Amino acid sequence: NALPAALASECADDQGKFWEYHDLIFENQKNWQNLEIIQSTNVFKKYAIDLGLDSSEFDSCLDSGKYLQEIQKDLDDGRAYGVTGTPGFFVGNEKIGFTTIIGAQPFDTFQNILDEQLSR
């Protein structure tokens, strides 16, 4: 249900509520992650109402797949850079190169990579 969640978040952003919506869907992920797409879409529409969004505008946006191409492009870009999961990070710069960190990692992982990069 990542795709409908991404679409719903973009539709909430149309009404200036991206982060509020983002937080709501992540706080309630266990409630929708294993549902059928039509069921999760209905849950996402209810969340829009809970946040006080214009439900007609939100539903129209979500049902139309308005941001589907944008989301697919982002997904394709991530894959092209070797990102296989979320979160994904690139630590470094053009001069010294980048180290890729995929998935939720402990602070020590970041600290070690940062220390290595800074020593170059």
Side-chain angles (χ1 to χ4, degrees):
N1 283 316
L3 181 57
L7 284 167
S9 298
E10 292 291 346
C11 292
D13 190 38
D14 280 353
Q15 297 183 48
K17 296 281 188 170
F18 175 84
W19 288 110
E20 294 91 336
Y21 197 89
H22 166 278
D23 293 347
L24 186 60
I25 61 173
F26 275 97
E27 288 168 9
N28 294 288
Q29 190 171 2
K30 290 180 181 176
N31 296 333
W32 56 262
Q33 66 185 1
N34 295 317
L35 297 175
E36 297 293 326
I37 289 178
I38 189 71
Q39 293 170 314
S40 66
T41 299
N42 289 334
V43 169
F44 297 145
K45 289 177 179 181
K46 182 187 177 311
Y47 292 164
I49 293 168
D50 293 346
L51 286 178
L53 300 179
D54 178 320
S55 61
S56 178
E57 181 181 335
F58 181 88
D59 293 358
S60 176
C61 176
L62 186 58
D63 292 340
S64 73
K66 178 179 177 180
Y67 291 101
L68 188 57
Q69 287 183 332
E70 179 181 328
I71 293 166
Q72 187 61 53
K73 183 183 177 317
D74 291 344
L75 182 60
D76 293 343
D77 287 346
R79 285 183 180 150
Y81 285 109
V83 176
T84 58
T86 56
F89 301 90
F90 299 95
V91 180
N93 60 39
E94 297 283 334
K95 183 177 177 184
I96 62 172
F98 294 92
T99 299
T100 305
I101 303 172
I102 303 297
Q105 300 294 324
F107 176 78
D108 290 345
T109 299
F110 288 89
Q111 186 67 55
N112 291 337
I113 291 170
L114 290 169
D115 288 345
E116 178 185 323
Q117 296 262 348
L118 290 171
S119 71
R120 292 184 185 178

